[in-house]
Amino acid sequence: MKRCFHGKRRFFTRADAELVLGGIDTRDPRRREVRSYQCPACHGWHLTSQTIEQYAASTSPTAPGRAPIKLDVPISSSPVPTPAQLAARLGVRPTASPAPHPASTTTRLRALFDRIRRQLTQRRRR
């Protein structure tokens, strides 16, 4: 058993979770777990105090206090524009970006490594 990144106890198999669930002392008011479930985030198994019915009622789109999801997507019969068409529509002129110069990058990296090497050599001499 390990702790999950969202703070719950994670069991690697359903059998492990069910074994712990069966051994829970029901007289302890702090332990009210009634079932196990597989976590979609960590793919481990957790224990929960919610019954299947409570979980289904809380996740249904018609649950009290839960607004239905509405997607306001405009319906269009035209095809999706290309990036060039969007740029023309918005009045943006494409600019040519300079190509990276591998020689200048390599030169800068060598200079950086040389400077670090000199600093390390000076520290060793002290």
Side-chain angles (χ1 to χ4, degrees):
M1 175 191 66
K2 277 186 146 183
R3 286 275 178 188
C4 189
F5 60 87
H6 46 265
K8 298 181 180 183
R9 291 181 184 171
R10 178 176 61 189
F11 302 96
F12 292 105
T13 65
R14 184 178 190 170
D16 293 341
E18 293 291 333
L19 186 67
V20 171
L21 186 63
I24 288 178
D25 184 7
T26 56
R27 294 173 293 176
D28 186 357
R30 295 174 294 167
R31 301 303 302 257
R32 302 183 319 262
E33 289 89 350
V34 293
R35 68 179 180 90
S36 62
Y37 68 97
Q38 189 169 22
C39 178
C42 71
H43 304 290
W45 288 84
H46 301 298
L47 303 179
T48 182
S49 59
Q50 278 190 342
T51 64
I52 293 284
E53 292 80 16
Q54 290 170 331
Y55 173 75
S58 69
T59 58
S60 74
T62 58
R66 194 177 186 119
I69 298 173
K70 292 183 180 177
L71 297 176
D72 295 326
V73 178
I75 298 174
S76 173
S77 60
S78 63
V80 176
T82 64
Q85 291 170 335
L86 282 176
R89 187 184 308 161
L90 296 173
V92 178
R93 292 187 343 184
T95 59
S97 60
H101 299 291
S104 64
T105 305
T106 305
T107 305
R108 285 185 292 181
L109 283 174
R110 282 188 182 154
L112 175 68
F113 287 134
D114 289 341
R115 188 171 65 232
I116 292 171
R117 188 178 305 120
R118 276 186 303 230
Q119 289 175 356
L120 290 174
T121 306
Q122 289 173 357
R123 286 183 187 170
R124 286 183 195 147
R125 289 180 186 164
R126 290 183 194 172

